[in-house]
Amino acid sequence: MADPQGFLNLRHRELPPDRPVPVRLLDWQEVHTHLAGDPDAIALVQRQAARCMDCGVPFCHHACPLGNLVPEWNDLAWRGQWADAADRLLATNNFPEFTGRVCPAPCEAACVLGLTDPAVTIKNTEIAIVEEAFGRGLDTPQVPHWFTGRTVAVVGSGPAGLAAAQQLTRAGHTVAVYERAEEPGGLLRFGIPEYKLEKHVVDRRIEQMRAEGTRFWTGIEVGGDQVSGSDLRARYDAVVLAVGSTTPRDLQVPGRELPGVLQAMEYLPQANRAAVGRPPADQVLAAGKHVVVIGGGDTGADCLGTALRQGAASVTQLEIMPRPPQERPDSQPWPTYPMVFRVASAHEEGGERLYAVSTTAFVGEDRVRALRLVDVELVDGRVVPRPGTEREIPADLVLLAMGFTGPERSPLLDQLGVTLTARGTITRDEGFATQVPGVFVCGDAGRGQSLVVWAIAEGRSAAAAADAFLSGSTQLPAPVQASSLALRA
């Protein structure tokens, strides 16, 4: 362990200060500061890492689908052994610079110290290690020493596809990643706002993968005229589908067809392109508008922060469920990830959050001008309107951020011959294999909408399955099975 009296000597939890709200609303730079090489930042990380005392059963391992070796790299960071710390971190996680920025940290919710004190600052140590690794030239391309002669196509370049591709490339296979957008990265590039994950961080990892030998084919809609599913099966020895869960959940109420009502993932990619100097000609902007975001999750918060940076007159975020409690409820005991009231960086910046409300109609003529809602309550597990609470709020722009129902029903799926489950995800077995030999599926396309950390874990596991299919056996790690579940009550 680090300091044998770590949390006894240091009881409080400390994080680096975020950039001030009035300053960060003026640009798209990251809210959180990650100062690689800064002596004060390193000292803070090492102080906090000392609070991890390598408990007998480190539940942080079990809460993280990657099985991150948290006590080990906390100890190494505390000692200033950055090369060894990076080695242990990268042994289980291809992209800690992504999870360290955007993961909600189920590991911290399961921290044993969290039973009595504030949990160890695991995420901040993670991001410090990987940034020190890059800054010190420790995280370098791992070019395979020999090649198997086998080829793999990975369809989709989000976190699952990138993880699968990097693992298979390092195993010696020739890997091509197909992405329909103009650049690789998937939701990392086009879904997560710049102020949470600057895109040069994504570019840095993509360039490493290119140096290792992974090839990227962008601007190609696999299943269309350029490349069909049959082409993939003919050209490659294996195919990994990592196409994500991109069919948005809709809200079919009167007025849904009005201009100004659109899905969050029609709005956020435009803003992300604009933030790096490539604004679409038809970009939808929130400037001067009353914006309503329907959906209380992370995507809704991303819309909130984006609209505030664009100069919205007001932003209101709606959630149909009641406001969660401040503290962990008895029904969600440690070490599960509790549903408690959380404040994202975007919520610190402005806007209003309304809970236990349901939208009944969008109001307007040529375009939306208001939203009609009603208070609701849970009765026997059902959402029931409360009579007499109907009202309207101004809405010049409405963003639907209610989650996703599965992968798009594209021609690719029919061309490959894969099927869908009743939940709308691609059918697979415990080993991430579809019923079509040599075709595997990972990430949200098989699991359903989930976290970046789960996507990376699935990508690593699908890579192991594909490697075993191609080579007869594998030494690649497989941290999860297709049916693995998060720690829950």
Side-chain angles (χ1 to χ4, degrees), residues 160 241 418-421 423 425-436 439-448 454-455 457-459 461-462 480-484:
L241 297 176
V418 299
T419 60
L420 299 179
T421 68
R423 295 175 54 238
T425 56
I426 299 175
T427 306
R428 60 187 186 176
D429 63 18
E430 276 292 88
F432 299 88
T434 69
Q435 73 272 29
V436 181
V439 178
F440 302 84
V441 61
C442 61
D444 291 0
R447 173 169 292 274
W454 275 97
E458 289 225 349
S461 296
V480 294
Q481 294 182 315
S483 62
S484 297

Side-chain angles (χ1 to χ4, degrees), residues 11-308:
R11 305 299 293 266
H12 68 279
R13 174 184 168 97
E14 183 182 7
L15 293 169
D18 291 340
R19 299 173 62 223
V21 169
V23 174
R24 70 196 198 211
L25 284 176
L26 299 176
D27 59 41
W28 295 92
Q29 296 175 24
E30 283 190 25
V31 168
H32 306 301
T33 54
H34 309 293
L35 304 176
D38 179 81
D40 292 336
I42 290 176
L44 185 151
V45 168
Q46 292 179 308
R47 286 197 305 273
Q48 289 294 311
R51 299 180 68 237
C52 177
M53 292 176 58
D54 197 4
C55 46
V57 179
F59 275 81
C60 51
H61 284 194
H62 304 284
C64 177
L66 289 166
N68 278 338
L69 307 171
V70 177
E72 294 184 30
W73 43 257
N74 265 322
D75 174 69
L76 292 165
W78 175 71
R79 298 177 188 279
Q81 298 175 5
W82 298 106
D84 291 336
D87 179 70
R88 302 312 292 146
L89 176 60
L90 293 165
T92 59
N93 188 352
N94 296 71
F95 314 125
E97 69 274 24
F98 303 154
T99 52
R101 285 171 166 87
V102 304
C103 183
C107 54
E108 293 187 8
C111 175
V112 176
L113 180 56
L115 282 166
T116 57
D117 290 272
V120 173
T121 56
I122 297 171
K123 267 183 66 173
N124 192 49
T125 306
E126 176 183 35
I127 195 68
I129 293 171
V130 70
E131 291 302 326
E132 287 297 318
F134 273 114
R136 296 166 185 254
L138 303 172
D139 192 353
T140 57
Q142 297 181 28
V143 180
H145 296 296
W146 59 281
F147 296 93
T148 66
R150 299 302 185 96
T151 57
V152 184
V154 176
V155 185
S157 66
L162 292 180
Q166 186 168 62
Q167 292 293 95
L168 287 165
T169 297
R170 290 176 172 179
H173 305 298
T174 300
V175 181
V177 178
Y178 288 86
E179 169 57 53
R180 64 181 175 183
E182 69 273 20
E183 291 183 87
L187 70 86
L188 297 167
R189 186 178 299 279
F190 298 108
I192 299 173
E194 186 83 354
Y195 66 83
K196 290 173 65 176
L197 175 63
E198 291 185 15
K199 300 309 171 269
H200 70 82
V201 176
V202 180
D203 293 335
R204 181 177 63 185
R205 188 61 75 175
I206 296 294
E207 288 309 306
Q208 182 194 71
M209 293 179 64
R210 285 194 169 109
E212 292 172 345
T214 304
R215 301 185 68 181
F216 290 90
W217 297 96
T218 57
I220 295 178
E221 180 82 52
V222 181
D225 296 334
Q226 294 172 289
V227 178
S228 69
S230 300
D231 293 333
L232 291 186
R233 296 294 292 126
R235 295 181 191 177
Y236 297 94
D237 298 311
V239 176
V240 178
L241 297 176
V243 295
S245 176
T246 55
T247 302
R249 185 171 286 108
D250 213 333
L251 183 61
Q252 293 301 331
V253 298
R256 170 64 181 89
E257 74 287 351
L258 287 169
V261 181
L262 64 156
Q263 292 286 348
M265 290 308 293
E266 297 176 86
Y267 172 71
L268 289 173
Q270 292 185 346
N272 277 353
R273 288 180 169 93
V276 295
R278 297 195 303 274
D282 57 349
Q283 183 183 2
V284 176
L285 293 170
K289 296 177 181 176
H290 297 289
V291 180
V292 177
V293 181
I294 301 179
D298 288 341
T299 303
D302 293 346
C303 291
L304 167 63
T306 299
L308 291 173

Side-chain angles (χ1 to χ4, degrees), residues 359-382:
T359 302
T360 59
F362 303 112
V363 181
E365 297 177 1
D366 297 332
R367 62 175 293 114
V368 67
R369 64 166 179 81
L371 181 146
R372 189 172 299 140
L373 53 78
V374 62
D375 291 346
V376 296
E377 57 186 343
L378 289 176
V379 178
D380 296 329
R382 294 170 47 248

